Each structure stands twice: as C-alpha cells, then as structure tokens.
C-alpha cells in the first residue's frame, strides 16, 4: 500500500530544489500558452503552499511577458471578515510581488448562504460544514476573476493534501492546474528556500483556518500526525505502525476526492 500511495503522488525520495523550481515554472508557462489563457489566478492565504505557488506563478507570467506577450498574475486575498493572521498574508504578497492584487471579503456571501440554509432546514449550518462553504466561496470568486480576465485558476494541492484528502471538494480542491503536485511538505519548504523566501513564510504553522470555533487550528492537530511523519512515509521511509495505518486509512476514505463524479461505469469505488 505504501508503494502504491507513493506512486500515485509522484513523490521522489530526493529532489533538486533548483530543478524543481524550473520544471514547475516551465509547466505553468506551457499550460497557459496551450490553453490560450492570458494569466493565472490564485488565492493567497499567507501559508507555505499559496506562497510557493504564487511565487512560481508570478515568475512564470513575467517570463512569458519577456517573450513579448501580455500575461498577468492575479493574487487574491479572500478573508472571512478580518483574518487573524493578515500580517502573514501581506508578507506573502510582499514576497510574491504579484502583477495585480484583489481583496474580496467572503463573509457576506458565506453568511447569506448559511442563513438561507437555516431558513430552508431550520438547522444551523455546523462550523465544519460552514468552513467548507468558505472554501467553496473562495474558489467561486477566483473563477469569477479568471473568467473576467481570461485566466486560469491555480490550485495549491500537493502530495500531503492528496494523500489525506485535506482539502474541500469543489472548494480549494477545484482548479485548472496544480504546480505543486508531486511535492511533499518538506520539499515545498526546500523550494521556498531556493526562491529566498523569509523563514517566517517557510516555517509558518500550516492551518486551513476554516472553522469559526477553531481559528488557526494547526493542520497537524486536525490530521492526527505531523507533516514530518507524512513526508517520511511519502519518501519511502519507515514510520510508526500507528501512523502508517492512519495514513492508509485516510487515503482509502478520501479516494472519492481523487476522481470525477462516479457513474455506474466506474470501478474505482468498488
């Protein structure tokens, strides 16, 4: 099972950070050209993943512009009201230096959706499910921007998220391309080092920060394991049997997130 999961994530036990940076920038450029798009859109939270993906996007668009064409990277801030770690998000923006920055407060839209749900069902939308609504509203906004400017939406999915299904289906899991695929969390940090990011961005505690009653809840607490343990597993190393079992159980449970909607002609779910 471990080897199967490693193969499905494309994680290598060792990487050359400089080569990986170059490879992923070239992928972004080639995909944008082939799609006939005029830019890229990405939500910037201030965390490791969006900071790395955002920097790669900005470099890719700058290089395409050097060829004489007009391309733009649109960085989007998508706070729910006031983000408690807004300073980190602004530091990420300063590091990325996007061509264009938009800020859209998703609170009115999310609260309206939660209220409509309550009126229809007479039930309060739970904090966990409201968190998923936040993620889906953020992606909707990014697609609105992408459609308006002829751009593509970039996702931040990487190997650790893929294995654990630690993303919202049709929320942050919905996008046009994912330049971080094949990297685990440790390798993402190595690429940020290569790009000379400040250590506060590289080592910021990862958090989805979706639940109102658990602001800033660390991913590792939610997952029940550390990213180092997960990275070791993805690099083919021996890990504690309990951790191994948890990773493989979560992977099986979240398989539906790795596929398009199931039909009676599909067999992956059986």
């Amino acid at each position: 099972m471990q080897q199967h999961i490693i193969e499905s994530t494309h994680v290598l036990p060792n990487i050359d950070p400089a080569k990986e940076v170059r490879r992923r920038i070239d992928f972004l450029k080639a995909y944008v050209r082939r799609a006939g798009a005029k830019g890229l859109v990405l939500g910037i939270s201030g965390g490791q993943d969006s900071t790395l993906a955002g920097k790669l996007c900005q470099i890719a668009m700058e290089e395409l512009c050097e060829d004489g064409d007009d391309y733009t990277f649109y960085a989007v801030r998508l706070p729910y009201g006031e983000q408690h770690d807004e300073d980190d998000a602004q530091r990420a923006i300063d590091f990325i230096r996007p061509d264009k920055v938009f800020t859209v407060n998703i609170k009115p839209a999310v609260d309206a959706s939660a209220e409509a749900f309550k009126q229809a069902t007479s039930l309060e939308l739970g904090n966990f499910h409201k968190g998923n609504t936040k993620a889906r509203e953020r992606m909707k906004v990014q697609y609105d921007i992408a459609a308006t400017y002829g751009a593509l939406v970039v996702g931040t999915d990487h190997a650790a998220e893929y294995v654990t299904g630690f993303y919202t289906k049709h929320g942050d899991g919905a996008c046009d391309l994912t330049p971080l695929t094949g990297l685990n969390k440790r390798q993402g940090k190595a690429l940020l080092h290569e790009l000379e990011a400040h250590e506060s961005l590289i080592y910021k505690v990862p958090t989805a920060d979706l639940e109102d009653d658990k602001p800033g809840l660390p991913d590792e607490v939610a997952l029940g394991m550390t990213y180092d343990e997960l990275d070791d597993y993805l690099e083919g190393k021996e890990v504690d049997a309990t951790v191994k079992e948890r990773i493989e159980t979560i992977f099986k449970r979240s398989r539906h997130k790795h596929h398009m909607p199931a039909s009676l002609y599909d067999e992956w779910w059986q």
Side-chain angles (χ1 to χ4, degrees), residues 69-98:
D69 294 311
D70 186 19
Y71 293 89
T72 305
F73 171 52
Y74 302 92
V76 192
R77 289 287 302 113
L78 296 155
Y80 175 80
E82 185 175 342
Q83 186 169 312
H84 72 92
D85 55 352
E86 181 63 31
D87 289 347
D88 292 333
Q90 292 305 317
R91 272 192 287 271
I93 293 291
D94 290 343
F95 167 66
I96 296 167
R97 297 195 299 176

Side-chain angles (χ1 to χ4, degrees), residues 23 41 50 85 109 112 119 129 153 182 236 256 264:
R23 191 158 72 105
V41 177
S50 67
D85 55 352
Q119 290 180 13
H129 300 304
V153 176
H256 66 96
L264 58 86

Side-chain angles (χ1 to χ4, degrees), residues 28 32 37-44 50 53-54 57-58 61 71-78 98-102 104 138-156 174-179:
L28 288 166
V32 166
K38 299 304 293 181
L40 296 170
V41 177
L42 174 63
I44 304 298
S50 67
C57 288
Q58 181 60 39
M61 294 305 94
Y71 293 89
T72 305
F73 171 52
Y74 302 92
V76 192
R77 289 287 302 113
L78 296 155
D99 295 317
K100 183 72 176 178
V101 180
F102 293 118
V104 178
R138 288 184 171 118
M139 190 52 70
K140 185 189 79 65
V141 171
Q142 290 175 74
Y143 268 101
D144 286 344
I145 292 171
T148 300
Y149 293 98
L152 299 172
V153 176
V154 176
T156 60
C175 58
D176 295 313
L177 65 168
T178 54

Side-chain angles (χ1 to χ4, degrees), residues 172-196:
D172 50 325
C175 58
D176 295 313
L177 65 168
T178 54
L180 306 187
T181 294
L183 297 174
N184 62 25
K185 206 71 171 176
R186 180 182 297 149
Q187 293 166 347
K189 291 177 183 176
L191 267 63
L192 279 172
H193 273 294
E194 178 66 25
L195 291 165
E196 300 182 348

Side-chain angles (χ1 to χ4, degrees), residues 60-71:
M61 294 305 94
E62 288 175 358
E63 291 186 2
L64 284 178
C65 287
E66 289 172 1
D67 295 337
D69 294 311
D70 186 19
Y71 293 89

Side-chain angles (χ1 to χ4, degrees), residues 13-29:
N14 298 289
I15 63 166
D16 181 324
K19 288 183 179 178
E20 288 298 327
V21 165
R22 184 71 262 161
R23 191 158 72 105
R24 291 160 197 281
I25 290 171
D26 288 344
F27 161 68
L28 288 166
K29 292 166 62 179

Side-chain angles (χ1 to χ4, degrees), residues 24-261:
R24 291 160 197 281
I25 290 171
D26 288 344
F27 161 68
L28 288 166
K29 292 166 62 179
Y31 198 90
V32 166
R33 279 199 184 109
R34 180 59 64 90
K38 299 304 293 181
L40 296 170
V41 177
L42 174 63
I44 304 298
S45 67
Q48 173 190 321
D49 304 330
S50 67
T51 300
L52 173 56
K55 190 65 173 179
L56 295 174
C57 288
Q58 181 60 39
I59 294 172
M61 294 305 94
E62 288 175 358
E63 291 186 2
L64 284 178
C65 287
E66 289 172 1
D67 295 337
D69 294 311
D70 186 19
Y71 293 89
T72 305
F73 171 52
Y74 302 92
V76 192
R77 289 287 302 113
L78 296 155
Y80 175 80
E82 185 175 342
Q83 186 169 312
H84 72 92
D85 55 352
E86 181 63 31
D87 289 347
D88 292 333
Q90 292 305 317
R91 272 192 287 271
I93 293 291
D94 290 343
F95 167 66
I96 296 167
R97 297 195 299 176
D99 295 317
K100 183 72 176 178
V101 180
F102 293 118
T103 299
V104 178
N105 181 5
I106 65 167
K107 191 175 192 303
V110 171
D111 289 354
S113 180
E115 179 60 27
F117 177 86
K118 181 179 179 180
Q119 290 180 13
T121 65
S122 300
L123 298 172
E124 294 282 350
L125 188 63
N127 273 310
F128 180 81
H129 300 304
K130 186 178 178 181
N132 285 331
T133 298
K134 293 176 186 177
R136 293 184 180 117
E137 180 62 28
R138 288 184 171 118
M139 190 52 70
K140 185 189 79 65
V141 171
Q142 290 175 74
Y143 268 101
D144 286 344
I145 292 171
T148 300
Y149 293 98
L152 299 172
V153 176
V154 176
T156 60
D157 188 39
H158 51 80
E161 285 189 349
Y162 178 87
V163 169
T164 57
F166 200 64
Y167 52 89
T168 298
K169 196 171 185 178
H170 307 306
D172 50 325
C175 58
D176 295 313
L177 65 168
T178 54
L180 306 187
T181 294
L183 297 174
N184 62 25
K185 206 71 171 176
R186 180 182 297 149
Q187 293 166 347
K189 291 177 183 176
L191 267 63
L192 279 172
H193 273 294
E194 178 66 25
L195 291 165
E196 300 182 348
H198 191 275
E199 290 201 355
S200 64
L201 295 172
I202 299 173
Y203 295 103
K204 176 177 166 59
V205 175
T207 172
D209 196 27
L210 292 177
E211 299 179 60
D212 289 349
D213 60 341
K214 300 175 183 177
L217 178 70
D219 290 353
E220 293 179 327
V221 173
L223 288 169
M225 71 187 87
T226 69
Y227 274 118
D228 278 341
E229 290 171 327
L230 187 47
D231 289 348
D232 283 345
Y233 179 94
L234 291 173
E235 291 172 10
K237 300 174 184 176
E238 288 292 328
V239 298
D240 182 85
T242 302
V243 172
K244 183 176 186 291
E245 181 180 4
R246 178 156 181 76
I247 292 171
E248 293 173 359
T249 298
I250 293 174
F251 177 78
K252 293 173 185 175
R253 192 172 63 212
S254 62
R255 288 179 71 201
H256 66 96
K257 292 187 174 184
H258 305 156
H259 298 271
M260 296 296 286

